[in-house]
Amino acid sequence: MNTKTVIAMVGLPARGKSTIARKIARTFELDDVKVQIFNNGELRRKLSSENSSTADFFSPHNASGVELREQYSRMNLQHARDFLNTGGQMAIIDASNVTKQRRATISAMFPELAVLFIECVNMDEEVLEANLERKLSLKEFGHLSTEEALDSFLKRISHYEGVYEPLAEERNQIVVDSFEGRILQEHISDLVPHYDRIRDLLTTRTVKNLFLVRHGETYYNLEDRIGGDSTLTERGLMQARTLADYFSTWRIPIIFRSNHKRTLQTATPIAEKQEHCSIIALPEFNEIDPGICEGMTYQEIIAQMPEVAKARKENKYDYVYPDGEGYVSMERRIHRGIQKVLYLNNYDDNIMIVGHQAVNRMILSYFVFRQKEEVPYLYMPQNRFYHIQIDPHKKTFELKPYQNV
Ligand code: F6P
């Protein structure tokens, strides 16, 4: 049996193809498989001028653009062929490959191998938008305003949509919802090396380093008040600066946070100390909504609403604040937030989330299973953070100090 593997990604722009390609490559690398990604877009950006990032370049009516893209694709395939001929074991062709003809060319380039096509779809409009926003920070759009960049990228996508032919008669194919991590369809006619492993990877969550940070001290924290949108105290600002120093030796490309001021104030100095770091606000990570207890202290709740305090004490996880939330009702949104993070972070090694006490408890328990009775009591200090590491066979988490104040 030939053990060399060729994987070709398929899908419209911003559907998570590169994230999946990187995930597969990283995992097999760890098993000492010689694997390389061949990305058409990177080759295009390297070899051609700024013109190749305009929407018109991608128009099917632009003969020279079409010819150039085909040329880059052929070059990339030749590089992959050379790699496999000289000891490489797994080549991943990362490009849109949206036409049958392009896919036939790929198969023809590797006649003795069973090419596996992985088509990425994402039906979630909101997540697609968030992914587009992230893409707009790429260097190739650097000379455009946000509106111009968005317009150009959307036009590019519509050019691809015009010629898009979903997988159909390809011999070995798998269609995956790249946001949900769900396999929608599979059809395998040949022996594809590592197939079971690849399929497992498409549906399994992995994170190399997830730094789960709670925002610094706020004025509300000083008074033990819940909810609200309080800002950081001097001490909280100092904690944010200390975190920034601590993480300056790490590369953090994106910090995910909630919509509250306290997470922005904590994330900003950290981002400023990075070479290139964007801060993305996800409403899914907003702190538990205490409804009618908004802005109250725990003592005030005991005194003024003893029935609330009592019911919550009896079953903290399932208790839902009147007109607000409980841990139980936050579950869905927190899981969706985590899915967004994993989708948007482009399978980078390091992820940072700056969240809140209840939110971080839920995030931690998502990755490292805890009984629901334990979740609302997980320790979430403001002078330490959780470092979470997950691969398909191992999960670890560690509470690490970053300062003494
Ligand atoms: O006290 C800070 C805080 O983030 C509040 O805004 C929130 O209501 C609370 O923590 C959640 O913790 P617990 O579930 O233990 O009340």
Side-chain angles (χ1 to χ4, degrees), residues 28 197 272 375 390:
F28 280 95
R197 186 86 197 278
E272 280 169 0
V375 175
I390 309 221

Side-chain angles (χ1 to χ4, degrees), residues 287-303:
E287 182 53 313
I288 189 169
D289 175 358
I292 57 168
C293 298
E294 172 77 19
M296 295 173 80
T297 68
Y298 290 106
Q299 286 311 316
E300 285 167 354
I301 298 173
I302 293 171

Side-chain angles (χ1 to χ4, degrees), residues 331-349:
E331 249 176 52
R332 272 184 80 126
R333 68 167 168 97
I334 297 286
H335 290 184
R336 187 172 160 79
I338 294 170
Q339 274 179 323
K340 278 191 180 175
V341 166
L342 296 177
Y343 185 74
L344 296 175
N345 109 301
N346 209 13
Y347 205 65
D348 203 279
D349 281 351

